[in-house]
Amino acid sequence: MKKILALHTGGTISMSASNDTVKTNEQNPLLDSQFINKNIDLVNEVILNKPSEHITPDDMLIIKKRVKKALDNNECDGIVIMHGTDTLEETAYFLDLTIENKIPVVLTGAMRSSNELGSDGVYNFQSAILTAASDEASDKGVLVVMNDEIHTARFVTKTHTTNVDTFRTPTFGPLGIVYKRDIRFFQALVNQHVCDIDNLEKGVYLIKAYAGIPKEIFEIINRPGTKGIVIEGLGAGNLPVEVVEPIQALIDNDITVVMVSRCYNGLAEPIYDYVGGGIDLERMGVVFCQGLNGQKARIKLQVAVSAGMNSKDIAKYMHDAVS
């Protein structure tokens, strides 16, 4: 028999709808759920009860420490974490970066609350439990299971505001599929270095580039408390000429500047050789991070800073999402 620890943190999966609004319940309706497979022993535990917009990196650290305790004490054979969908990918990736993947760790959520027509919460919950109980789910990093698909936390993202098929993995696709009685994996995942941090540094920010973005944004953020900045650049990683000088000033102050693309698909890479082009920015010292969106690159940069890495090690750590 497999023992699965279900950690509940709140989100739509634990909420109820009334008069076209969705609200948090005092009592999570999923706590009464029992997995129908007689070979699985399910243990439910509430550690937070927050909408995912209220989840902070400090909350992610709380979840991480609870997962690590379960791993260190051999409490279970797999872990499922219920989470709101708005920031689910960020918590999942934070755990992926900071937890050694000894047993399956799976996040799931819902796009429809517990009493809405077509509610997907219980189904996603049971699919996640089935995945966490699978021996094949080990050594694949933290996973996200939604709508019959198994995604890696590293690359999955929310793509639609309300559709139940919102979680997708652009460029690479899902790792596997959940069937009625089984799960199947069709891709492997390259492992990465785990940073087992116990505290979180502040001062790591995310800025989205756009046509005409003013240089004052980068001037204002250039202050003693700033430890790092991730920029969602234009195209493959380019910026308007007006912001090049203040970005150089950030780098001169030993503030790490990381570039990703604001595009939904593809990788950030230095291609254009003119002022503000990717090659010019890389020469200045901007670090190109391939394969991550802005919110995940910010999480990874915060982990790197919190781990006490120097600027050279951070640049290496951030450059490739799979190293």
Side-chain angles (χ1 to χ4, degrees):
M1 178 175 284
K2 292 289 186 77
K3 184 176 181 180
I4 303 300
L5 174 63
L7 301 176
H8 298 262
T9 69
T12 300
I13 195 168
S14 66
M15 296 180 185
S16 297
S18 176
N19 298 324
D20 297 324
T21 64
V22 180
K23 296 182 179 180
T24 301
N25 290 315
E26 289 186 11
Q27 181 69 24
N28 188 331
L30 280 182
L31 295 180
D32 296 327
S33 297
Q34 292 297 316
F35 192 61
I36 58 175
N37 190 321
K38 63 182 180 180
N39 295 318
I40 293 178
D41 177 22
L42 179 65
V43 178
N44 287 294
E45 180 181 325
V46 177
I47 57 174
L48 295 169
N49 188 21
K50 293 185 174 185
S52 67
E53 311 85 69
H54 296 181
I55 294 287
T56 67
D58 289 332
D59 292 321
M60 297 176 194
L61 190 61
I62 290 172
I63 299 169
K64 177 259 182 185
K65 289 180 178 179
R66 180 62 186 97
V67 171
K68 188 173 186 299
K69 179 183 176 183
L71 296 177
D72 292 344
N73 295 336
N74 296 314
E75 292 182 30
C76 54
D77 301 296
I79 297 173
V80 173
I81 301 168
M82 266 58 60
H83 197 288
T85 59
D86 283 355
T87 60
L88 184 150
E89 66 189 86
E90 290 168 77
T91 296
Y93 188 53
F94 178 85
L95 298 176
D96 192 49
L97 291 169
T98 58
I99 293 175
E100 187 177 353
N101 194 223
K102 297 177 182 178
I103 62 173
V105 177
V106 181
L107 278 82
T108 193
M111 295 302 293
R112 295 172 184 163
S113 61
S114 59
N115 63 339
E116 284 187 81
L117 184 65
S119 174
D120 55 333
V122 173
Y123 184 82
N124 285 337
F125 186 27
Q126 299 214 356
S127 295
I129 294 168
L130 186 64
T131 304
S134 170
D135 293 333
E136 293 183 46
S138 297
D139 301 320
K140 288 182 170 61
V142 174
L143 301 172
V144 173
V145 172
M146 295 281 291
N147 202 39
D148 285 332
E149 291 185 339
I150 305 168
H151 298 265
T152 168
R154 200 172 306 169
F155 300 123
V156 72
T157 190
K158 186 174 181 178
T159 65
H160 194 285
T161 54
T162 56
N163 196 309
V164 294
D165 192 26
T166 181
F167 279 88
R168 302 286 183 89
T169 300
T171 304
F172 307 113
L175 287 183
I177 295 175
V178 179
Y179 292 95
K180 290 294 183 183
R181 298 181 181 87
D182 197 9
I183 65 169
R184 297 283 177 86
F185 287 96
F186 300 100
Q187 293 191 60
L189 185 67
V190 178
N191 290 328
Q192 69 182 39
H193 176 66
V194 174
C195 290
D196 186 10
I197 58 173
D198 291 318
N199 64 287
L200 278 172
E201 292 285 343
K202 310 297 183 182
V204 180
Y205 305 107
L206 173 62
I207 296 174
K208 189 183 189 78
Y210 53 90
I213 182 171
K215 64 179 182 178
E216 286 81 6
I217 289 177
F218 296 95
E219 292 172 342
I220 291 169
I221 212 168
N222 191 347
R223 57 185 183 178
T226 300
K227 307 290 178 58
I229 296 169
V230 174
I231 303 172
E232 288 188 4
L234 309 173
N238 310 299
L239 292 171
V241 63
E242 291 80 8
V243 301
V244 170
E245 186 176 334
I247 287 174
Q248 183 65 71
L250 288 164
I251 295 170
D252 292 342
N253 282 341
D254 201 29
I255 296 171
T256 301
V257 178
V258 174
M259 176 67 69
V260 298
S261 175
R262 73 176 193 177
C263 295
Y264 173 76
N265 257 317
L267 306 176
E269 56 181 332
I271 297 174
Y272 294 99
D273 192 2
Y274 49 74
V275 178
I279 292 176
D280 179 57
L281 295 172
E282 187 178 49
R283 273 197 300 260
M284 290 167 47
V286 173
V287 178
F288 276 71
C289 179
Q290 297 186 326
L292 295 181
N293 58 25
Q295 55 267 35
K296 288 185 182 175
R298 196 206 71 81
I299 289 288
K300 188 171 189 180
L301 182 55
Q302 187 174 19
V303 167
V305 170
S306 301
M309 295 186 191
N310 60 37
S311 57
K312 184 177 180 180
D313 289 339
I314 290 176
K316 183 178 179 182
Y317 181 66
M318 295 299 303
H319 177 70
D320 195 333
V322 298
S323 63

PDB file of all heavy atoms in Angstrom, residues 244-269:
ATOM      1  N   VAL A 244      19.185  51.270 -21.932  1.00  0.00           N
ATOM      2  CA  VAL A 244      20.480  50.586 -21.911  1.00  0.00           C
ATOM      3  C   VAL A 244      21.415  51.184 -20.862  1.00  0.00           C
ATOM      4  O   VAL A 244      22.049  50.468 -20.081  1.00  0.00           O
ATOM      5  CB  VAL A 244      21.136  50.626 -23.313  1.00  0.00           C
ATOM      6  CG1 VAL A 244      22.582  50.138 -23.243  1.00  0.00           C
ATOM      7  CG2 VAL A 244      20.326  49.795 -24.288  1.00  0.00           C
ATOM      8  N   GLU A 245      21.497  52.516 -20.820  1.00  0.00           N
ATOM      9  CA  GLU A 245      22.407  53.180 -19.882  1.00  0.00           C
ATOM     10  C   GLU A 245      22.059  52.890 -18.421  1.00  0.00           C
ATOM     11  O   GLU A 245      22.941  52.535 -17.625  1.00  0.00           O
ATOM     12  CB  GLU A 245      22.431  54.689 -20.146  1.00  0.00           C
ATOM     13  CG  GLU A 245      23.456  55.435 -19.305  1.00  0.00           C
ATOM     14  CD  GLU A 245      23.519  56.918 -19.654  1.00  0.00           C
ATOM     15  OE1 GLU A 245      23.176  57.285 -20.802  1.00  0.00           O
ATOM     16  OE2 GLU A 245      23.904  57.709 -18.771  1.00  0.00           O
ATOM     17  N   PRO A 246      20.776  53.027 -18.008  1.00  0.00           N
ATOM     18  CA  PRO A 246      20.459  52.710 -16.609  1.00  0.00           C
ATOM     19  C   PRO A 246      20.631  51.229 -16.268  1.00  0.00           C
ATOM     20  O   PRO A 246      20.913  50.895 -15.110  1.00  0.00           O
ATOM     21  CB  PRO A 246      19.005  53.148 -16.453  1.00  0.00           C
ATOM     22  CG  PRO A 246      18.470  53.300 -17.824  1.00  0.00           C
ATOM     23  CD  PRO A 246      19.616  53.651 -18.690  1.00  0.00           C
ATOM     24  N   ILE A 247      20.505  50.349 -17.239  1.00  0.00           N
ATOM     25  CA  ILE A 247      20.760  48.930 -16.990  1.00  0.00           C
ATOM     26  C   ILE A 247      22.248  48.701 -16.761  1.00  0.00           C
ATOM     27  O   ILE A 247      22.650  47.934 -15.885  1.00  0.00           O
ATOM     28  CB  ILE A 247      20.219  48.063 -18.147  1.00  0.00           C
ATOM     29  CG1 ILE A 247      18.691  48.030 -18.083  1.00  0.00           C
ATOM     30  CG2 ILE A 247      20.776  46.641 -18.085  1.00  0.00           C
ATOM     31  CD1 ILE A 247      18.026  47.330 -19.235  1.00  0.00           C
ATOM     32  N   GLN A 248      23.080  49.396 -17.522  1.00  0.00           N
ATOM     33  CA  GLN A 248      24.518  49.300 -17.298  1.00  0.00           C
ATOM     34  C   GLN A 248      24.872  49.794 -15.896  1.00  0.00           C
ATOM     35  O   GLN A 248      25.747  49.224 -15.224  1.00  0.00           O
ATOM     36  CB  GLN A 248      25.273  50.126 -18.339  1.00  0.00           C
ATOM     37  CG  GLN A 248      26.795  50.030 -18.234  1.00  0.00           C
ATOM     38  CD  GLN A 248      27.313  48.634 -18.520  1.00  0.00           C
ATOM     39  OE1 GLN A 248      27.286  48.171 -19.654  1.00  0.00           O
ATOM     40  NE2 GLN A 248      27.795  47.946 -17.476  1.00  0.00           N
ATOM     41  N   ALA A 249      24.179  50.821 -15.435  1.00  0.00           N
ATOM     42  CA  ALA A 249      24.421  51.338 -14.087  1.00  0.00           C
ATOM     43  C   ALA A 249      24.059  50.298 -13.023  1.00  0.00           C
ATOM     44  O   ALA A 249      24.741  50.182 -11.998  1.00  0.00           O
ATOM     45  CB  ALA A 249      23.620  52.626 -13.864  1.00  0.00           C
ATOM     46  N   LEU A 250      23.004  49.529 -13.261  1.00  0.00           N
ATOM     47  CA  LEU A 250      22.630  48.451 -12.347  1.00  0.00           C
ATOM     48  C   LEU A 250      23.737  47.397 -12.273  1.00  0.00           C
ATOM     49  O   LEU A 250      24.135  46.967 -11.183  1.00  0.00           O
ATOM     50  CB  LEU A 250      21.323  47.801 -12.804  1.00  0.00           C
ATOM     51  CG  LEU A 250      20.038  48.610 -12.619  1.00  0.00           C
ATOM     52  CD1 LEU A 250      18.911  48.017 -13.452  1.00  0.00           C
ATOM     53  CD2 LEU A 250      19.636  48.654 -11.155  1.00  0.00           C
ATOM     54  N   ILE A 251      24.226  47.013 -13.434  1.00  0.00           N
ATOM     55  CA  ILE A 251      25.280  45.998 -13.500  1.00  0.00           C
ATOM     56  C   ILE A 251      26.555  46.518 -12.830  1.00  0.00           C
ATOM     57  O   ILE A 251      27.243  45.777 -12.117  1.00  0.00           O
ATOM     58  CB  ILE A 251      25.538  45.598 -14.965  1.00  0.00           C
ATOM     59  CG1 ILE A 251      24.295  44.907 -15.538  1.00  0.00           C
ATOM     60  CG2 ILE A 251      26.750  44.681 -15.078  1.00  0.00           C
ATOM     61  CD1 ILE A 251      24.338  44.679 -17.029  1.00  0.00           C
ATOM     62  N   ASP A 252      26.872  47.783 -13.048  1.00  0.00           N
ATOM     63  CA  ASP A 252      28.058  48.379 -12.413  1.00  0.00           C
ATOM     64  C   ASP A 252      27.956  48.375 -10.887  1.00  0.00           C
ATOM     65  O   ASP A 252      28.984  48.391 -10.195  1.00  0.00           O
ATOM     66  CB  ASP A 252      28.257  49.810 -12.919  1.00  0.00           C
ATOM     67  CG  ASP A 252      28.664  49.862 -14.389  1.00  0.00           C
ATOM     68  OD1 ASP A 252      29.111  48.818 -14.913  1.00  0.00           O
ATOM     69  OD2 ASP A 252      28.516  50.928 -15.011  1.00  0.00           O
ATOM     70  N   ASN A 253      26.718  48.354 -10.370  1.00  0.00           N
ATOM     71  CA  ASN A 253      26.495  48.301  -8.922  1.00  0.00           C
ATOM     72  C   ASN A 253      26.390  46.863  -8.420  1.00  0.00           C
ATOM     73  O   ASN A 253      25.913  46.621  -7.304  1.00  0.00           O
ATOM     74  CB  ASN A 253      25.232  49.073  -8.554  1.00  0.00           C
ATOM     75  CG  ASN A 253      25.463  50.574  -8.533  1.00  0.00           C
ATOM     76  OD1 ASN A 253      26.604  51.032  -8.450  1.00  0.00           O
ATOM     77  ND2 ASN A 253      24.388  51.343  -8.617  1.00  0.00           N
ATOM     78  N   ASP A 254      26.828  45.925  -9.240  1.00  0.00           N
ATOM     79  CA  ASP A 254      26.853  44.491  -8.885  1.00  0.00           C
ATOM     80  C   ASP A 254      25.453  43.939  -8.638  1.00  0.00           C
ATOM     81  O   ASP A 254      25.257  43.058  -7.801  1.00  0.00           O
ATOM     82  CB  ASP A 254      27.745  44.254  -7.661  1.00  0.00           C
ATOM     83  CG  ASP A 254      28.222  42.803  -7.570  1.00  0.00           C
ATOM     84  OD1 ASP A 254      28.360  42.163  -8.629  1.00  0.00           O
ATOM     85  OD2 ASP A 254      28.449  42.317  -6.450  1.00  0.00           O
ATOM     86  N   ILE A 255      24.473  44.456  -9.377  1.00  0.00           N
ATOM     87  CA  ILE A 255      23.111  43.934  -9.342  1.00  0.00           C
ATOM     88  C   ILE A 255      22.934  43.040 -10.564  1.00  0.00           C
ATOM     89  O   ILE A 255      23.111  43.490 -11.701  1.00  0.00           O
ATOM     90  CB  ILE A 255      22.070  45.070  -9.347  1.00  0.00           C
ATOM     91  CG1 ILE A 255      22.206  45.907  -8.074  1.00  0.00           C
ATOM     92  CG2 ILE A 255      20.656  44.513  -9.477  1.00  0.00           C
ATOM     93  CD1 ILE A 255      21.379  47.181  -8.084  1.00  0.00           C
ATOM     94  N   THR A 256      22.617  41.786 -10.339  1.00  0.00           N
ATOM     95  CA  THR A 256      22.449  40.844 -11.443  1.00  0.00           C
ATOM     96  C   THR A 256      21.213  41.203 -12.266  1.00  0.00           C
ATOM     97  O   THR A 256      20.124  41.387 -11.715  1.00  0.00           O
ATOM     98  CB  THR A 256      22.304  39.408 -10.916  1.00  0.00           C
ATOM     99  OG1 THR A 256      23.474  39.057 -10.168  1.00  0.00           O
ATOM    100  CG2 THR A 256      22.143  38.422 -12.064  1.00  0.00           C
ATOM    101  N   VAL A 257      21.387  41.288 -13.580  1.00  0.00           N
ATOM    102  CA  VAL A 257      20.284  41.558 -14.500  1.00  0.00           C
ATOM    103  C   VAL A 257      20.124  40.350 -15.408  1.00  0.00           C
ATOM    104  O   VAL A 257      21.066  39.970 -16.121  1.00  0.00           O
ATOM    105  CB  VAL A 257      20.534  42.832 -15.328  1.00  0.00           C
ATOM    106  CG1 VAL A 257      19.371  43.057 -16.306  1.00  0.00           C
ATOM    107  CG2 VAL A 257      20.714  44.047 -14.423  1.00  0.00           C
ATOM    108  N   VAL A 258      18.954  39.736 -15.375  1.00  0.00           N
ATOM    109  CA  VAL A 258      18.677  38.509 -16.130  1.00  0.00           C
ATOM    110  C   VAL A 258      17.642  38.811 -17.208  1.00  0.00           C
ATOM    111  O   VAL A 258      16.646  39.500 -16.954  1.00  0.00           O
ATOM    112  CB  VAL A 258      18.169  37.397 -15.197  1.00  0.00           C
ATOM    113  CG1 VAL A 258      17.746  36.164 -15.995  1.00  0.00           C
ATOM    114  CG2 VAL A 258      19.243  37.032 -14.177  1.00  0.00           C
ATOM    115  N   MET A 259      17.869  38.261 -18.398  1.00  0.00           N
ATOM    116  CA  MET A 259      16.972  38.485 -19.528  1.00  0.00           C
ATOM    117  C   MET A 259      16.231  37.206 -19.905  1.00  0.00           C
ATOM    118  O   MET A 259      16.840  36.150 -20.097  1.00  0.00           O
ATOM    119  CB  MET A 259      17.768  38.976 -20.742  1.00  0.00           C
ATOM    120  CG  MET A 259      16.938  39.157 -22.014  1.00  0.00           C
ATOM    121  SD  MET A 259      15.723  40.499 -21.875  1.00  0.00           S
ATOM    122  CE  MET A 259      16.848  41.906 -21.828  1.00  0.00           C
ATOM    123  N   VAL A 260      14.900  37.301 -19.983  1.00  0.00           N
ATOM    124  CA  VAL A 260      14.067  36.265 -20.586  1.00  0.00           C
ATOM    125  C   VAL A 260      13.226  36.952 -21.658  1.00  0.00           C
ATOM    126  O   VAL A 260      13.267  38.168 -21.809  1.00  0.00           O
ATOM    127  CB  VAL A 260      13.157  35.569 -19.551  1.00  0.00           C
ATOM    128  CG1 VAL A 260      13.976  34.876 -18.484  1.00  0.00           C
ATOM    129  CG2 VAL A 260      12.186  36.559 -18.904  1.00  0.00           C
ATOM    130  N   SER A 261      12.474  36.174 -22.403  1.00  0.00           N
ATOM    131  CA  SER A 261      11.609  36.773 -23.416  1.00  0.00           C
ATOM    132  C   SER A 261      10.190  36.910 -22.889  1.00  0.00           C
ATOM    133  O   SER A 261       9.719  36.064 -22.123  1.00  0.00           O
ATOM    134  CB  SER A 261      11.597  35.914 -24.683  1.00  0.00           C
ATOM    135  OG  SER A 261      10.667  36.435 -25.615  1.00  0.00           O
ATOM    136  N   ARG A 262       9.506  37.963 -23.310  1.00  0.00           N
ATOM    137  CA  ARG A 262       8.095  38.095 -22.949  1.00  0.00           C
ATOM    138  C   ARG A 262       7.212  37.259 -23.871  1.00  0.00           C
ATOM    139  O   ARG A 262       6.001  37.163 -23.672  1.00  0.00           O
ATOM    140  CB  ARG A 262       7.664  39.561 -22.977  1.00  0.00           C
ATOM    141  CG  ARG A 262       7.524  40.143 -24.367  1.00  0.00           C
ATOM    142  CD  ARG A 262       7.001  41.575 -24.326  1.00  0.00           C
ATOM    143  NE  ARG A 262       6.584  42.042 -25.645  1.00  0.00           N
ATOM    144  CZ  ARG A 262       6.037  43.212 -25.898  1.00  0.00           C
ATOM    145  NH1 ARG A 262       5.850  44.073 -24.900  1.00  0.00           N
ATOM    146  NH2 ARG A 262       5.671  43.556 -27.114  1.00  0.00           N
ATOM    147  N   CYS A 263       7.808  36.624 -24.884  1.00  0.00           N
ATOM    148  CA  CYS A 263       7.057  35.789 -25.827  1.00  0.00           C
ATOM    149  C   CYS A 263       6.585  34.504 -25.157  1.00  0.00           C
ATOM    150  O   CYS A 263       7.260  33.950 -24.284  1.00  0.00           O
ATOM    151  CB  CYS A 263       7.906  35.434 -27.050  1.00  0.00           C
ATOM    152  SG  CYS A 263       8.346  36.853 -28.071  1.00  0.00           S
ATOM    153  N   TYR A 264       5.467  34.006 -25.584  1.00  0.00           N
ATOM    154  CA  TYR A 264       4.853  32.806 -25.031  1.00  0.00           C
ATOM    155  C   TYR A 264       5.668  31.555 -25.356  1.00  0.00           C
ATOM    156  O   TYR A 264       5.755  30.629 -24.566  1.00  0.00           O
ATOM    157  CB  TYR A 264       3.436  32.695 -25.587  1.00  0.00           C
ATOM    158  CG  TYR A 264       2.695  31.427 -25.255  1.00  0.00           C
ATOM    159  CD1 TYR A 264       2.153  31.234 -23.989  1.00  0.00           C
ATOM    160  CD2 TYR A 264       2.510  30.431 -26.215  1.00  0.00           C
ATOM    161  CE1 TYR A 264       1.450  30.076 -23.682  1.00  0.00           C
ATOM    162  CE2 TYR A 264       1.813  29.275 -25.917  1.00  0.00           C
ATOM    163  CZ  TYR A 264       1.291  29.104 -24.655  1.00  0.00           C
ATOM    164  OH  TYR A 264       0.616  27.955 -24.350  1.00  0.00           O
ATOM    165  N   ASN A 265       6.280  31.528 -26.533  1.00  0.00           N
ATOM    166  CA  ASN A 265       7.054  30.381 -26.970  1.00  0.00           C
ATOM    167  C   ASN A 265       8.477  30.782 -27.307  1.00  0.00           C
ATOM    168  O   ASN A 265       8.748  31.944 -27.618  1.00  0.00           O
ATOM    169  CB  ASN A 265       6.428  29.744 -28.221  1.00  0.00           C
ATOM    170  CG  ASN A 265       5.668  28.462 -27.908  1.00  0.00           C
ATOM    171  OD1 ASN A 265       6.155  27.639 -27.136  1.00  0.00           O
ATOM    172  ND2 ASN A 265       4.502  28.294 -28.507  1.00  0.00           N
ATOM    173  N   GLY A 266       9.385  29.816 -27.321  1.00  0.00           N
ATOM    174  CA  GLY A 266      10.754  30.085 -27.740  1.00  0.00           C
ATOM    175  C   GLY A 266      11.678  30.407 -26.573  1.00  0.00           C
ATOM    176  O   GLY A 266      11.270  30.451 -25.414  1.00  0.00           O
ATOM    177  N   LEU A 267      12.950  30.648 -26.894  1.00  0.00           N
ATOM    178  CA  LEU A 267      13.984  30.893 -25.897  1.00  0.00           C
ATOM    179  C   LEU A 267      14.595  32.274 -26.083  1.00  0.00           C
ATOM    180  O   LEU A 267      14.696  32.772 -27.209  1.00  0.00           O
ATOM    181  CB  LEU A 267      15.093  29.843 -26.024  1.00  0.00           C
ATOM    182  CG  LEU A 267      14.684  28.375 -25.971  1.00  0.00           C
ATOM    183  CD1 LEU A 267      15.899  27.492 -26.200  1.00  0.00           C
ATOM    184  CD2 LEU A 267      14.023  28.040 -24.638  1.00  0.00           C
ATOM    185  N   ALA A 268      15.018  32.868 -24.992  1.00  0.00           N
ATOM    186  CA  ALA A 268      15.757  34.125 -25.070  1.00  0.00           C
ATOM    187  C   ALA A 268      17.197  33.821 -25.475  1.00  0.00           C
ATOM    188  O   ALA A 268      17.832  32.949 -24.899  1.00  0.00           O
ATOM    189  CB  ALA A 268      15.735  34.833 -23.714  1.00  0.00           C
ATOM    190  N   GLU A 269      17.707  34.539 -26.455  1.00  0.00           N
ATOM    191  CA  GLU A 269      19.085  34.355 -26.901  1.00  0.00           C
ATOM    192  C   GLU A 269      19.576  35.625 -27.585  1.00  0.00           C
ATOM    193  O   GLU A 269      18.808  36.332 -28.239  1.00  0.00           O
ATOM    194  CB  GLU A 269      19.212  33.160 -27.846  1.00  0.00           C
ATOM    195  CG  GLU A 269      18.300  33.233 -29.068  1.00  0.00           C
ATOM    196  CD  GLU A 269      18.443  32.011 -29.959  1.00  0.00           C
ATOM    197  OE1 GLU A 269      19.532  31.404 -29.955  1.00  0.00           O
ATOM    198  OE2 GLU A 269      17.478  31.678 -30.665  1.00  0.00           O
TER     199      GLU A 269
END
